[in-house]
Amino acid sequence: MTETLLKICNLSTHFVTKAGIARAVNDVSFELASREILGLVGESGSGKSITAFSILRLVTHPGRIAGGRVLFRGQDLVTASEEELRRIRGNRIAMIFQDPMMTLNPVLRIETQMVETVLAHADVSRAEARIRSVEALGMVGIPSPDERLAAYPHQFSGGMRQRVAIAIALLHRPDIIIADEPTTALDVTIQAQILAQIQGLANRHGTSLIWITHDLSVVSGLADRLAVMYAGRIVEMGDVGLVLTRPKHQYTNGLIRSAPGVIPRGQPLHQIKGATPSLFNLPKGCAFRMRCTAVDAACQEDPDLIQQDERLVRCFHTVPTAGRANGLALAEKET
Ligand code: ADP
Ligand code: MG
């Protein structure tokens, strides 16, 4: 039996502004097992980052967690004290941001930042903390890690800076790493290297990962399970192979058909017409209905997230087998 490390129940995070309430995270529930890699995908603005920030209670004003629970090994992080949270953040649950400068301080040498990070949670000497820092830099492929410790963040390239941020995330061998589009800003080749490295390290250390991306081709080779977000809600969730080859939600289907790295070469790329709706005062009903080709009167009501074909899906008009022109017929033929 695999152990459930993280259980998110009905999490809602709102931004209350003069323009109205943005329901950035709207009744989101999912679990993460030990050693599991969960891919969290969706277009920009769908609530992926705010979900991640909510887990570690990093959402700042005017955002606030409006409801729900985040159970880490049974402890609710929504109601935990700041002191308890500090013990968990960076130590048991680490986060890698899209911009490594969210982790790094520009005016401090890497050595100072890494050694202080080690000392914040481990009862070891400075010399031991330094050794661990060198090891962590080596693990993420920084050449001459001993010498590079003396450098400042600006003396590294973008890819190397992100590696340093990843090394810091690895320092305490956390149980969970939440990676929020950590390779999106990097060259494709560097992206692939870093991806392979994190995958290898997570596997070796038994770390669970929540990998956030708008890029389906990234998660297709990485994740065990996939959660697709749209307008603050999970619209489909299940085994990655199943969801990518046999999507049920019209939005998932559209995403797959528009992803260059996922559909076979030569097939025309699809475009999902329209744009993500504003999350301010979202009207009742399915949030995808304005862009959906299967829309009808039923979609004026909110669909529930229900179990269907071995996954969860929130749609009244799930994609029928025959209508699934998502280009993944090859994968289906094999089964
Ligand atoms: P993603 O990471 O999927 O691109 P985010 O989680 O960053 O999206 O944002 C989700 C939604 O939260 C945004 O579409 C926006 O409506 C709202 N939001 C995020 N940050 C703020 C903010 N500082 N003020 C108001 N609304 C915000
Ligand atoms: Mg984001």
Side-chain angles (χ1 to χ4, degrees), residues 43-50 53 98 180-181 212:
E43 281 167 298
S44 179
S46 56
K48 307 180 298 294
S49 294
I50 303 298
F53 292 175
Q98 180 170 351
D180 187 4
E181 313 223 24
I212 298 176

Side-chain angles (χ1 to χ4, degrees), residues 13-17 20-25 41-53 59-63 98 180-181 212-214 229 231-232 276-280:
T13 300
H14 296 169
F15 286 85
V16 182
T17 71
I21 299 176
R23 289 180 165 76
V25 179
V41 300
E43 281 167 298
S44 179
S46 56
K48 307 180 298 294
S49 294
I50 303 298
T51 300
F53 292 175
V59 179
T60 52
H61 184 78
Q98 180 170 351
D180 187 4
E181 313 223 24
I212 298 176
T213 180
H214 62 274
M229 270 190 97
T276 20
S278 158
L279 295 184
F280 288 101

Side-chain angles (χ1 to χ4, degrees), residues 181-193:
E181 313 223 24
T183 58
T184 303
L186 305 174
D187 289 348
V188 189
T189 48
I190 311 266
Q191 196 174 340
Q193 284 171 8

Side-chain angles (χ1 to χ4, degrees), residues 15-31:
F15 286 85
V16 182
T17 71
K18 283 193 189 125
I21 299 176
R23 289 180 165 76
V25 179
N26 192 352
D27 197 21
V28 163
S29 301
F30 63 84
E31 291 183 6

Side-chain angles (χ1 to χ4, degrees), residues 20-308:
I21 299 176
R23 289 180 165 76
V25 179
N26 192 352
D27 197 21
V28 163
S29 301
F30 63 84
E31 291 183 6
L32 183 72
S34 79
R35 308 190 76 98
E36 184 180 35
I37 303 184
L38 176 76
L40 186 58
V41 300
E43 281 167 298
S44 179
S46 56
K48 307 180 298 294
S49 294
I50 303 298
T51 300
F53 292 175
S54 302
I55 292 172
L56 282 172
R57 237 167 66 194
L58 294 171
V59 179
T60 52
H61 184 78
R64 62 175 189 90
I65 296 180
R69 297 192 297 165
V70 173
L71 301 173
F72 171 62
R73 296 189 182 280
Q75 181 186 14
D76 189 359
L77 304 187
V78 173
T79 54
S81 68
E82 270 302 323
E83 173 70 33
E84 286 168 322
L85 265 182
R86 260 197 303 276
R87 273 203 294 270
I88 289 168
R89 269 192 215 128
N91 183 28
R92 303 321 325 143
I93 307 179
M95 184 140 177
I96 307 169
F97 301 92
Q98 180 170 351
D99 178 0
M101 294 315 285
M102 294 268 287
T103 304
L104 300 172
N105 185 327
V107 299
L108 296 179
R109 292 181 196 277
I110 299 299
E111 173 162 357
T112 315
Q113 308 192 40
M114 293 189 80
V115 167
E116 291 305 326
T117 305
V118 175
L119 295 177
H121 295 291
D123 187 18
V124 294
S125 66
R126 272 190 178 269
E128 171 63 22
R130 192 177 185 284
I131 292 169
R132 290 196 192 179
S133 304
V134 173
E135 265 173 19
L137 287 183
M139 273 194 275
V140 296
I142 304 256
S144 329
D146 209 329
E147 288 151 43
R148 296 302 274 157
L149 264 188
Y152 288 92
H154 73 266
Q155 294 171 309
F156 288 86
S157 67
M160 284 295 166
R161 255 199 305 265
Q162 189 57 288
R163 283 174 202 257
V164 175
I166 294 165
I168 290 176
L170 293 170
L171 275 174
H172 294 289
R173 301 264 171 112
D175 300 319
I176 301 172
I177 294 179
I178 304 176
D180 187 4
E181 313 223 24
T183 58
T184 303
L186 305 174
D187 289 348
V188 189
T189 48
I190 311 266
Q191 196 174 340
Q193 284 171 8
I194 292 188
L195 208 61
Q197 219 147 29
I198 297 186
Q199 192 175 21
L201 288 167
N203 195 10
R204 233 177 303 145
H205 298 173
T207 315
S208 303
L209 282 180
I210 298 179
W211 194 282
I212 298 176
T213 180
H214 62 274
D215 187 345
L216 277 182
S217 62
V218 167
V219 283
S220 64
L222 177 75
D224 301 308
R225 226 153 34 94
L226 199 62
V228 182
M229 270 190 97
Y230 189 77
R233 298 188 120 150
I234 290 180
V235 295
E236 185 157 8
M237 178 160 60
D239 173 82
V240 72
L242 180 77
V243 172
L244 288 180
T245 54
R246 287 188 273 147
K248 277 271 148 204
H249 198 285
Q250 300 284 347
Y251 175 62
T252 317
N253 192 41
L255 265 189
I256 294 166
R257 291 168 64 199
S258 55
V262 180
I263 71 161
R265 269 158 185 268
Q267 289 230 3
L269 280 186
H270 167 81
Q271 270 192 349
I272 303 176
K273 63 178 170 94
T276 20
S278 158
L279 295 184
F280 288 101
N281 308 319
L282 206 60
K284 195 172 171 232
C286 172
F288 188 59
R289 70 179 188 276
M290 285 76 91
R291 307 171 72 185
C292 184
T293 48
V295 65
D296 71 11
C299 311
Q300 300 292 332
E301 296 296 321
D302 270 327
D304 288 328
L305 191 62
I306 55 161
Q307 185 82 31
Q308 200 184 102

